[in-house]
Amino acid sequence: MAAAALEWLAAACLLLAVQVACEYGMVHVVSETGGPKGKDYCILYNPQWAHLPHDLSKASLLQLRDWTTSMLCSPSDLPAKGFSNQIPLVARGNCTFYDKVRLAQGSGAHGLLIVSKETLVPPGGNKTQYEEIGIPVALLSHKDMLDIFKSFGRAVRAALYAPHEPMLDYNMVIIFIMAVGTVALGGYWAGSRDVKKYMKHKRDDEPEKQEDEAVDVTPVMTCVFVVMCCSMLVLLYYFYDHLVYVIIGIFCLASSTGLYSCLSPLVQRLPFGKCRICDNSLPYFHKCPQVRMLLLALFCVAVSVVWGVFRNEDQWAWILQDALGIAFCLYMLKTIRLPTFKACTLLLLVLFIYDVFFVFITPFLTKSGNSIMVEVATGPADSATHEKLPMVLKVPRLNASPLALCDRPFSLLGFGDILVPGLLVAYCHRFDIQVQSSRVYFVACTIAYGIGLLVTFMALALMQRGQPALLYLVPCTLITSGTLALWRRELGMFWTGSGFAKDLPQPPWAPASAEGPQPPKDSEVVLSQQPPGEAQVKPTLPAEQPPELAGPEDVAGVSAQEPKSPVSHTPEPPGLPGASA
């Protein structure tokens, strides 16, 4: 077992080393005839061949020569005059990267760009080859090559450079605020909503209305949910181009519903549009809806449709996607309810394993060596549709960097990294109100979520690869809430608490048990104004006594449903009707 574990660890380190050796750079292209302003294009290079300067001013501007009609695999593929002080463009294939760059260097080239119609991969080699080669070699996409010659013509110059990649982009601050704010607001709203419904149920002394939307998660539902997640992720990996439109459609429907749920409390406060439309044949509007609610529904659907039509507009569509995504998350946090800390622990731990497996383990199981989770979340590079899954918060990178230009112009955070810990935060808020703890659990769990998110960002900056956020969020939130419950000596109650219909402490106006002292009632206030002798005798009249023998005070002091006598400082004589058992 130990040897196998060491082998897996070595393989993981090897995978990480391969990814670190692969770096993104830029090729800055300008026209020799002084045409349009220069433009940067993405390249993928291996610094083990030769390093690129970090500053464009220190990079040599050399002639870019189109030699893509040749594979450059043999000396016969070289031009008669060589590539003196040039950067040749050659086609990928038929031989190794080392064969191509060795021939280019021998003919006087100062760099080599290999044009690829497939997914860009790092140009690899071995240590001996790295020591022999002294010019940079990089891969350029075929699409970018066509754009270069279309925009600048055939007479162009190019400079290869690799500016420093910032450890963290400023857009992480925006993602952090959106994520923590959504978790805090959703958890607070879900807890407050459940408590208000419970208190109304107690005051009215009638069963909870059937229109309650909340759904308690059971262990069976948790297992079914995880199996569905795994199945959908694998299906998306193999059939991405077909299923991505299904996911986009589901997101449009769900996000418009969530937006309606979030805005309806605000719209209901408006002083106009209260008139109702009773005679209608609209679906889901059979209860005489108000005009303002119909207008709100149309607005939410319109927002969702606008996003669906312009979802690929990178300049502003991400704002609509984030707004709809936050509304969807708030709606789910309000609708789905974890009844116990035991259920919270089960759900978070199972999804913790799910997240780690599909990010860190699946690269060893796929032919491409890519993580299934990262591949699906960012969209496969060979996708014919070039669509992206909308189930993420996305913010464009604010720093000019090769990563923003090449691979990921947006920073992403999946909805699951908000919803899963958010369900625990909502449970903590409900438990706070249950034990009247001034929301200490809610605040502590929200802060723990923020700390876990910061740790995720740090791991992302250090490893420079996609991270399973639940790897850091689940331990932070679970350990913090569990430790707090243990410190407050409420762990047993926190572990098995099951909502409010059973466990919430009785309010002051609720009747106490027969064995304990009862709270003061209105009847006792009336009786306290009578002489001491009457205060003890009149409430305990036998049930068969005619009503006319009792005065108005007795009617106020005796309840037809509760024949027990009020609490008195002097013990009642045994055997009197109505005495407490």
Side-chain angles (χ1 to χ4, degrees):
M1 290 295 294
L6 288 176
E7 290 178 3
W8 278 93
L9 182 60
C13 293
L14 179 61
L15 177 66
L16 182 61
V18 169
Q19 292 192 354
V20 169
C22 163
E23 293 186 10
Y24 288 108
M26 295 182 181
V27 52
H28 183 75
V29 180
V30 296
S31 174
E32 290 185 346
T33 59
K37 185 180 179 181
K39 183 177 178 181
D40 288 330
Y41 293 90
C42 170
I43 58 174
L44 186 68
Y45 79 104
N46 187 343
Q48 292 173 306
W49 293 106
H51 289 279
L52 295 179
H54 297 299
D55 194 347
L56 178 60
S57 61
K58 298 180 180 179
S60 300
L61 199 60
L62 304 172
Q63 182 183 4
L64 189 64
R65 183 169 183 178
D66 183 10
W67 203 251
T68 52
T69 56
S70 169
M71 293 292 183
L72 196 62
C73 290
S74 64
S76 60
D77 295 331
L78 291 170
K81 297 182 179 180
F83 297 118
S84 179
N85 292 326
Q86 295 176 346
I87 300 178
L89 287 168
V90 300
R92 177 183 174 185
N94 286 5
C95 57
T96 64
F97 293 117
Y98 169 71
D99 293 334
K100 295 178 184 293
V101 69
R102 180 176 57 84
L103 289 172
Q105 178 177 270
S107 63
H110 283 207
L112 177 66
L113 287 178
I114 302 174
V115 179
S116 174
K117 295 183 179 180
E118 303 173 0
T119 303
L120 300 185
V121 296
N126 56 46
K127 185 177 179 180
T128 304
Q129 294 171 348
Y130 293 150
E131 293 175 350
E132 180 183 347
I133 302 301
I135 63 173
V137 54
L139 267 73
L140 177 74
S141 72
H142 184 263
K143 178 182 176 181
D144 287 342
M145 185 204 70
L146 296 179
D147 186 74
I148 289 174
F149 293 124
K150 180 181 178 180
S151 303
F152 300 95
R154 291 289 171 175
V156 293
R157 289 184 173 272
L160 304 179
Y161 73 111
H164 286 291
E165 188 71 44
M167 291 191 64
L168 280 177
D169 197 279
Y170 296 126
N171 62 359
M172 291 296 185
V173 177
I174 301 176
I175 290 182
F176 179 85
I177 294 174
M178 288 196 300
V180 176
T182 302
V183 166
L185 182 59
Y188 184 87
W189 188 14
S192 300
R193 176 175 174 271
D194 286 350
V195 170
K196 287 179 181 178
K197 287 193 173 186
Y198 169 75
M199 301 297 283
K200 184 179 185 301
H201 160 66
K202 283 295 186 180
R203 283 197 301 268
D204 298 342
D205 196 21
E206 60 187 22
E208 191 172 356
K209 295 182 179 180
Q210 295 298 321
E211 61 187 13
D212 185 14
E213 299 175 341
V215 177
D216 286 344
V217 177
T218 63
V220 175
M221 292 173 63
T222 300
C223 296
V224 172
F225 173 73
V226 173
V227 171
M228 291 177 59
C229 287
C230 296
S231 303
M232 180 56 70
L233 195 62
V234 173
L235 288 174
L236 280 169
Y237 181 75
Y238 287 105
F239 307 102
Y240 184 89
D241 290 339
H242 301 86
L243 294 178
V244 65
Y245 293 107
V246 177
I247 302 299
I248 291 174
I250 293 174
F251 174 75
C252 289
L253 293 175
S255 61
S256 59
T257 303
L259 188 62
Y260 179 88
S261 176
C262 294
L263 296 181
S264 58
L266 301 177
V267 173
Q268 289 173 354
R269 295 177 179 268
L270 297 177
F272 51 84
K274 297 182 180 179
C275 56
R276 296 180 177 273
I277 305 176
C278 291
D279 297 331
N280 67 82
S281 57
L282 297 173
Y284 307 107
F285 287 104
H286 304 302
K287 297 181 180 179
C288 300
Q290 295 179 343
V291 172
R292 57 187 180 183
M293 304 312 294
L294 282 176
L295 294 176
L296 174 62
L298 291 175
F299 170 77
C300 295
V301 172
V303 172
S304 180
V305 170
V306 169
W307 174 85
V309 173
F310 299 99
R311 62 185 178 276
N312 293 320
E313 293 288 337
D314 290 341
Q315 297 297 325
W316 56 269
W318 64 273
I319 300 176
L320 276 184
Q321 178 172 325
D322 289 350
L324 291 171
I326 290 173
F328 170 76
C329 291
L330 292 175
Y331 174 72
M332 295 300 292
L333 289 176
K334 183 186 71 170
T335 303
I336 301 176
R337 178 171 53 195
L338 295 175
T340 65
F341 185 61
K342 178 181 178 181
C344 296
T345 304
L346 175 63
L347 178 65
L348 267 67
L349 288 181
V350 171
L351 291 178
F352 169 88
I353 298 172
Y354 157 84
D355 213 18
V356 172
F357 174 80
F358 279 101
V359 173
F360 286 147
I361 306 301
T362 53
F364 300 102
L365 307 178
T366 58
K367 293 182 179 180
S368 62
N370 297 326
S371 160
I372 290 181
M373 181 76 75
V374 175
E375 188 88 359
V376 171
T378 59
D382 57 349
S383 171
T385 62
H386 300 289
E387 294 284 356
K388 306 294 182 183
L389 287 182
M391 313 302 281
V392 293
L393 294 181
K394 55 187 295 187
V395 179
R397 293 182 178 271
L398 304 178
N399 290 329
S401 66
L403 193 60
L405 179 67
C406 299
D407 185 43
R408 294 187 295 273
F410 293 90
S411 294
L412 310 176
L413 183 68
F415 290 167
D417 301 327
I418 298 174
L419 289 174
V420 176
L423 294 173
L424 175 59
V425 173
Y427 172 77
C428 288
H429 187 213
R430 291 197 300 271
F431 187 78
D432 276 324
I433 301 174
Q434 179 180 348
V435 299
Q436 302 177 356
S437 61
S438 301
R439 299 189 177 90
V440 61
Y441 286 94
F442 169 72
V443 173
C445 197
T446 303
I447 293 174
Y449 175 80
I451 294 174
L453 202 56
L454 291 176
V455 174
T456 305
F457 292 162
M458 292 177 60
L460 181 65
L462 293 176
M463 299 184 186
Q464 291 296 313
R465 59 178 300 187
Q467 294 296 308
L470 293 182
L471 175 64
Y472 312 100
L473 296 175
V474 168
C476 285
T477 52
L478 278 182
I479 293 175
T480 299
S481 52
T483 303
L484 181 61
L486 181 63
W487 177 68
R488 291 172 58 87
R489 299 181 181 179
E490 297 170 345
L491 184 58
M493 192 175 178
F494 189 62
W495 178 260
T496 59
S498 55
F500 306 99
K502 298 178 182 179
D503 301 326
L504 191 67
Q506 294 176 341
W509 35 260
S513 61
E515 299 177 358
Q518 297 183 1
K521 301 180 181 178
D522 295 337
S523 60
E524 296 173 278
V525 177
V526 175
L527 290 172
S528 64
Q529 300 174 358
Q530 307 301 325
E534 296 180 357
Q536 298 180 16
V537 176
K538 288 183 179 180
T540 59
L541 289 174
E544 61 270 11
Q545 181 176 349
E548 60 268 12
L549 296 180
E553 305 89 4
D554 305 324
V555 178
V558 181
S559 173
Q561 289 83 8
E562 189 177 358
K564 295 190 291 185
S565 64
V567 175
S568 176
H569 293 291
T570 59
E572 283 193 82
L576 283 176
S580 300

